[in-house]
Amino acid sequence: MKKYKPIYSHYLLIFFFGLILSVLVSAQSKNNHAVDSDLTQAAIIPKPTKIIATHDFFELSDFTVIMVNNKDSAMVEIRNYLANEIKATTNIQPYFELNNMIYSHITLKIQPLDNPSPEAYELSIKPFHITLTANKPEGAFRGIQTLRQLLILQKDNTKNQWVIPSGKIIDAPEYPYRANMLDVSRAFIDMDYVKRHIRFLAYYKFNTLHLHLSDDQGWRIEIKSWPKLTEIGSKTAVDDRPGGFYTQEQYKEIVAYAAAHYITIVPEIDMPGHTNAASVAYPELNGTKEKAKLYTGTKVGFSTFNTHSPTVYRFINDVINEISDMTPGPYMHIGGDEAKATKLNDYIPFINKVEKIVHEHNKTLIGWDEILETDVDTTSIAQVWRPEHITKNLKLAIKKGTKFILSPADRAYLDMKYDSLTTLGYTWAGYISVKKGYNWDPTDYAPKQNILGIDCPLWTETTTGPNDFDYLIFPRLLGYAEIGWSKKENRNWDEYKNRLAKQTAYFEQNNINYYPSPLIDWE
Ligand code: TNX
């Protein structure tokens, strides 16, 4: 059977009438809807590199088509994702094929841009045509978040006219590593929350989710060759909170879900300290004099592996082997922090041995900044959380060319209280108001060429569940998204706080229990 294809002239005619009609509609809607036609005023977070406004509108309709110039499977998935998101926000179901009612179209294009970043994208928004161009599917995915934001920001859309202000957006990230960390050990965080969180991270253009999978209070990932880790070590958490762990199938599901959102999972197995749960499960790992017992308190620095035992290295090799096999991303985080129960003379060779094991599994090592006390390779990455404590080592590492992930505790720790009224959270690194969390830059600590990116950790000693996690994460998370993505010269608190105020549209749609900071005039 032959398919119906409209002849060209017929098609042109319909297009022509469509054009007239839309010009009328758009001329009328320009003054009518709540959306500002000035694209530079759109409350996009993180702030794009460059926005040029042309003061008109693209209008979405029941006859909008999304097309891809390159039908590889990644782009087809991205197209489907965009269509689903448009449908979820506007209730409009875009077409995928040209049809004779075509009204406006969105084209997704893979084509080299001036900026070579795999996450770079450009959006050209005209009255009947949006073109999203990117070097890679990853960039197209980031650009789609900008489009989604432009729709979701129209929360009081009573007329149900979905428009996007016209113009051009040229955008790329400042840093290639933009992470958030969830401590799933002190409080176990279930699959549903992790997936929901991945969607939020994607919306604000994060590309990495760091999972702190083991600590004194709980071991959270199934290791088939050492089954007691979870049979015994996963049962507890801080206080009387329920324990839990991810089976390997569940972990793979998280990895795949993250990958579908162009987010890389960075697994962390903390060692040689923060290892009480592992030592309870397997006492032969324990390097302290006392017998390890299940622990539900919040002290740190009391546990250590026996760094002289060959069994410990066999164990570490097995754990890293199983985790590496399930983790397509390039990184293995080995913790290394607060090993106060390990002598420095033992710590240094331990980290070097673990580094070798990580390399044997073709991964790049990440460790907390304590690893700068050892002579780890310059390919290994230090996650800086106490910059003021390690200035000497930091200077040396800068000279050597080591790369850093910035997580200064007094700026980027999501478990610090906002102010004296906050009931959740800690204060050991001070209060972190929404403003203080926003008003810093990675280059305050090291030259740009040494910086891989940033990570904002949520430690969970004081949190009991989803509402608490949300409260400490939002809205500070968005500031870290912007620090990682946007140019320093484009960032300014007074302007940012206006864009932040408009995020209630997204927060409310997603039932995010955000902290309504009094510094912001929430809309
Ligand atoms: C320090 S930051 C820790 C964690 C705690 C956190 C609480 C770091 C590398 N270690 O073990 O959970 O403080 O704020």
Side-chain angles (χ1 to χ4, degrees):
M1 262 234 300
K2 256 172 118 189
K3 272 199 187 153
Y4 171 70
K5 271 194 198 142
I7 42 165
Y8 192 57
S9 60
H10 175 188
Y11 186 63
L12 239 164
L13 204 69
I14 291 168
F15 182 72
F16 186 66
F17 276 119
L19 202 73
I20 294 182
L21 190 77
S22 343
V23 168
L24 291 175
V25 173
S26 116
Q28 193 205 14
S29 51
K30 221 176 274 187
N31 313 318
N32 254 343
H33 32 67
V35 184
D36 189 335
S37 72
D38 184 351
L39 185 61
T40 66
Q41 297 306 303
I44 302 162
I45 293 180
K47 181 100 178 159
T49 309
K50 193 166 182 192
I51 306 180
I52 301 155
T54 53
H55 304 279
D56 208 330
F57 290 104
F58 170 92
E59 183 160 351
L60 209 64
S61 84
D62 288 333
F63 303 108
T64 297
V65 180
I66 309 177
M67 295 185 292
V68 279
N69 82 323
N70 167 332
K71 288 225 162 106
D72 73 25
S73 60
M75 287 309 286
V76 169
E77 270 171 42
I78 284 180
R79 177 201 64 186
N80 297 348
Y81 167 85
L82 174 60
N84 289 340
E85 294 299 333
I86 287 178
K87 168 86 178 160
T89 306
T90 66
N91 213 21
I92 290 170
Q93 178 68 63
Y95 285 86
F96 291 149
E97 302 293 339
L98 281 176
N99 61 69
N100 54 8
M101 310 242 265
I102 187 170
Y103 179 81
S104 57
H105 42 294
I106 301 174
T107 306
L108 310 179
K109 237 175 165 175
I110 294 299
Q111 185 180 292
L113 299 173
D114 291 343
N115 188 319
S117 161
E119 298 185 275
Y121 71 91
E122 287 185 17
L123 268 170
S124 150
I125 305 163
K126 294 181 176 159
F128 299 99
H129 200 178
I130 291 178
T131 313
L132 169 58
T133 313
N135 296 314
K136 298 269 180 221
E138 207 178 333
F141 187 83
R142 304 288 175 239
I144 281 174
Q145 306 313 318
T146 302
L147 278 180
R148 289 182 63 207
Q149 293 197 6
L150 289 166
L151 292 172
I152 288 172
L153 285 162
Q154 302 167 35
K155 78 166 169 178
D156 300 318
N157 194 337
T158 42
K159 291 215 178 77
N160 218 25
Q161 273 176 349
W162 295 94
V163 296
I164 294 178
S166 66
K168 198 167 168 113
I169 296 180
I170 299 167
D171 203 8
E174 196 68 349
Y175 296 102
Y177 187 100
R178 303 179 308 281
N180 164 237
M181 189 206 82
L182 296 178
D183 168 8
V184 302
S185 178
R186 273 60 172 266
F188 182 60
I189 303 184
D190 71 18
M191 294 283 288
D192 284 346
Y193 190 91
V194 173
K195 286 186 175 175
R196 168 182 180 266
H197 194 59
I198 285 170
R199 295 196 292 275
F200 299 161
L201 291 177
Y203 187 70
Y204 292 110
K205 299 191 178 77
F206 281 88
N207 65 3
T208 306
L209 172 61
H210 165 192
L211 294 174
H212 184 78
L213 291 166
S214 69
D215 214 302
D216 293 320
Q217 297 87 345
W219 183 282
R220 305 295 180 214
I221 176 80
E222 176 190 22
I223 301 295
K224 297 209 194 268
S225 54
W226 296 78
K228 289 189 214 161
L229 288 170
T230 46
E231 282 166 19
I232 296 171
S234 78
K235 300 291 182 215
T236 43
V238 166
D239 293 340
D240 292 324
R241 294 172 206 162
F245 67 96
Y246 309 122
T247 64
Q248 294 207 347
E249 284 317 305
Q250 288 175 325
Y251 178 80
K252 288 184 207 161
E253 199 180 317
I254 293 173
V255 166
Y257 195 79
H261 293 77
Y262 290 84
I263 286 175
T264 302
I265 297 293
V266 173
E268 178 185 351
I269 298 296
D270 204 345
M271 59 182 103
H274 293 278
T275 45
N276 179 70
S279 287
V280 177
Y282 292 100
E284 60 268 42
L285 303 173
N286 189 7
T288 66
K289 292 209 181 69
E290 277 143 59
K291 186 171 180 269
K293 293 192 298 272
L294 289 173
Y295 183 67
T296 59
T298 57
K299 275 190 269 176
V300 296
F302 62 88
S303 58
T304 182
F305 279 154
N306 177 356
T307 61
H308 298 283
S309 155
T311 309
V312 165
Y313 298 99
R314 190 164 58 78
F315 168 82
I316 293 170
N317 185 66
D318 290 344
V319 169
I320 291 182
N321 185 40
E322 290 193 31
I323 293 181
S324 298
D325 275 354
M326 302 186 287
T327 308
Y331 303 111
M332 180 71 217
H333 200 310
I334 59 118
D337 59 311
E338 299 174 318
K340 293 177 193 158
T342 320
K343 293 197 193 79
L344 187 61
N345 280 342
D346 293 336
Y347 180 79
I348 294 171
F350 174 84
I351 295 292
N352 286 330
K353 280 187 192 161
V354 174
E355 184 182 46
K356 246 181 89 197
I357 298 173
V358 170
H359 289 174
E360 279 160 14
H361 292 90
N362 297 316
K363 297 293 181 196
T364 297
L365 179 145
I366 304 179
W368 296 102
D369 61 32
E370 283 88 341
I371 65 160
L372 292 176
E373 289 162 31
T374 74
D375 56 349
V376 281
D377 203 81
T378 49
T379 58
S380 291
I381 293 153
Q383 182 161 357
V384 178
W385 66 287
R386 314 162 305 162
E388 64 290 346
H389 282 82
I390 51 150
T391 41
K392 211 177 97 222
N393 289 334
L394 204 58
K395 271 194 198 140
L396 278 171
I398 288 170
K399 265 205 194 132
K400 280 203 276 181
T402 302
K403 296 255 187 198
F404 308 122
I405 297 164
L406 264 304
S407 305
D410 63 343
R411 296 286 188 172
Y413 268 29
L414 289 163
D415 65 322
M416 292 304 127
K417 289 180 188 291
Y418 291 96
D419 61 28
S420 61
L421 300 175
T422 318
T423 50
L424 296 170
Y426 278 151
T427 55
W428 67 260
Y431 298 124
I432 305 183
S433 66
V434 178
K435 182 175 178 180
K436 187 171 182 202
Y438 179 80
N439 252 340
W440 64 281
D441 193 75
T443 57
D444 300 342
Y445 302 94
K448 176 122 196 263
Q449 68 265 21
N450 287 89
I451 298 167
L452 186 65
I454 79 161
D455 186 357
C456 47
L458 177 75
W459 300 102
T460 53
E461 288 96 332
T462 67
T463 53
T464 60
N467 275 335
D468 292 355
F469 309 146
D470 274 12
Y471 192 79
L472 289 175
I473 293 172
F474 293 97
R476 285 183 291 203
L477 183 81
L478 284 62
Y480 306 122
E482 183 144 312
I483 293 171
W485 179 280
S486 307
K487 291 206 170 306
K488 187 180 172 185
E489 61 267 27
N490 281 348
R491 300 202 293 109
N492 166 302
W493 165 255
D494 286 324
E495 187 269 339
Y496 170 73
K497 71 179 190 201
N498 297 330
R499 279 182 288 124
L500 185 57
K502 297 197 170 78
Q503 304 303 315
T504 47
Y506 185 67
F507 295 169
E508 282 160 19
Q509 276 171 28
N510 289 286
N511 293 317
I512 294 174
N513 180 39
Y514 67 100
Y515 160 67
S517 164
L519 302 177
I520 312 294
D521 290 325
W522 297 103
E523 286 193 1

